[in-house]
Amino acid sequence: MAFESGSEPCEFEILDARFDDCIRKSARLERLASGCRWTEGPVYVPAQRRLLWSDIPNERMLSWCEVSGHVAEFRRPSSYTNGHTLDRQGRLISCEQGGRRVVRTEHDGSLTVLASHFGGQRLNSPNDVVVKSDGTVWFTDPPYGICDDYEGVRAPQEQAGCWVYRLDPVSGELRVMADNLVHPNGLAFSPDERCLYVADTGVERGTMHRFAVDADGSLSGGEVFIQCDTGFYDGFRCDTEGRIWTSAGRAIHCHAPDGALIGRIPVPERVSNVSFGGPKRNRLFICATSSVYSVLLAVNGVKPC
Ligand code: MG
């Protein structure tokens, strides 16, 4: 949906004057790739100038080269990977819904399993992951990879619930950090890491919750921060000013740090996840159903992606 702003057609819906500072009205949504079944987990790899993402039902990962525009398969089979991020050493961290584990791709290409069990039971199906500046790996564990064979492998749930976990990759300690959500999904820290935002897709209307990260590293709070009026929040990321850029049905929603919805970017397909990338981190990559899109913004994403 395009509409007029002055004499120039604009693809952005400005709901609050604060959104003016976030966009270039001449920028356009670009479709970079298509032909997938359900895309998720975009992650930009600066050293390669490539975007990686998951095509979950086809059990593969793909890549798009920023220099050539070439799209290729990156990993197949992928154990139904969903969300990805980079750690502080630039290594790929991936949630495998089929493998029911979180893995790290080493610089030599080998895989290291970071987490597969908690309390002696298999994880449900890790969905999305972020790495904190102290190197700890935080991920969510809803059941979407075990409820049928479409996005994983049908299997009984072994955990008593769906939690938010923190993994210390040095000691191997895996700890439940939040147990009050139905199906925790996307997650991201605020730029100062004093807040952790987590989406819940197990409720009737999608919610995003805000936890305070206390000085000892534990979480408190967890109240509903925002609620989606067009379906669910799945994945999202913050920019350096603390705004939240989130999937919301067939659109990207931008929320100010106070929670106000300040702008929308309509997308032709239902959006799953977003991630900032490009050499200046001012390009928002968008996984939406069968395709991957991008749009250049006037903001910069926080590291890591
Ligand atoms: Mg997700």
Side-chain angles (χ1 to χ4, degrees), residues 40 82-83 97 127-128 140 185-186 234-235 272-273:
E40 296 241 25
N82 187 328
Q97 292 196 159
N127 186 291
D128 208 350
T140 57
N185 201 316
D234 189 337
S272 61
N273 293 174

Side-chain angles (χ1 to χ4, degrees), residues 33-273:
S34 196
C36 299
R37 280 205 169 99
W38 180 249
T39 59
E40 296 241 25
V43 59
Y44 179 80
V45 185
Q48 301 180 20
R49 297 198 66 176
R50 284 200 296 177
L51 183 80
L52 304 178
W53 70 92
S54 302
D55 178 8
I56 303 178
N58 285 322
E59 206 191 346
R60 61 178 180 165
M61 293 171 61
L62 291 97
S63 72
W64 169 82
C65 174
E66 186 176 38
V67 178
S68 68
H70 186 62
V71 175
E73 285 193 347
F74 175 78
R75 181 178 297 168
R76 185 175 195 166
S78 63
S79 281
Y80 299 94
T81 57
N82 187 328
H84 307 274
T85 193
L86 299 181
D87 71 7
R88 296 288 158 161
Q89 290 74 44
R91 296 171 296 190
L92 182 68
I93 309 286
S94 304
C95 293
E96 291 186 353
Q97 292 196 159
R100 301 172 71 173
R101 59 189 193 172
V102 178
V103 300
R104 181 174 66 212
T105 304
E106 307 295 348
H107 291 305
D108 67 4
S110 62
L111 289 185
T112 298
V113 178
L114 298 181
S116 60
H117 291 71
F118 179 75
Q121 308 288 316
R122 296 188 75 184
L123 296 174
N124 300 327
S125 54
N127 186 291
D128 208 350
V129 59
V130 290
V131 174
K132 199 163 175 278
S133 59
D134 62 5
T136 53
V137 178
W138 297 60
F139 65 93
T140 57
D141 191 38
Y144 301 121
I146 56 173
C147 55
D148 60 37
D149 290 320
Y150 186 66
E151 288 197 7
V153 181
R154 185 196 300 271
Q157 180 172 321
E158 298 181 19
Q159 298 294 330
C162 302
W163 320 133
V164 179
Y165 291 94
R166 180 183 70 181
L167 172 80
D168 181 337
V170 177
S171 69
E173 181 197 25
L174 184 62
R175 187 187 297 185
V176 174
M177 303 304 290
D179 60 2
N180 62 325
L181 305 181
V182 181
H183 291 165
N185 201 316
L187 75 173
F189 286 101
S190 61
D192 60 9
E193 297 188 335
R194 294 171 73 170
C195 292
L196 176 70
Y197 300 101
V198 186
D200 192 346
T201 49
V203 290
E204 193 169 333
R205 283 180 60 202
T207 51
M208 188 183 298
H209 298 250
R210 180 172 60 183
F211 294 87
V213 182
D214 298 326
D216 64 356
S218 60
L219 299 181
S220 60
E223 71 281 359
V224 173
F225 177 59
I226 51 176
Q227 192 156 29
C228 192
D229 59 2
T230 55
F232 296 94
Y233 306 117
D234 189 337
F236 53 91
R237 288 293 183 260
C238 290
D239 67 29
T240 55
E241 303 307 308
R243 304 178 198 92
I244 299 166
W245 299 77
T246 180
S247 61
R250 289 176 175 248
I252 304 298
H253 284 189
C254 178
H255 289 264
D258 64 6
L261 177 62
I262 61 173
R264 296 175 76 251
I265 308 173
V267 177
E269 302 175 78
R270 184 175 152 210
V271 180
S272 61
N273 293 174

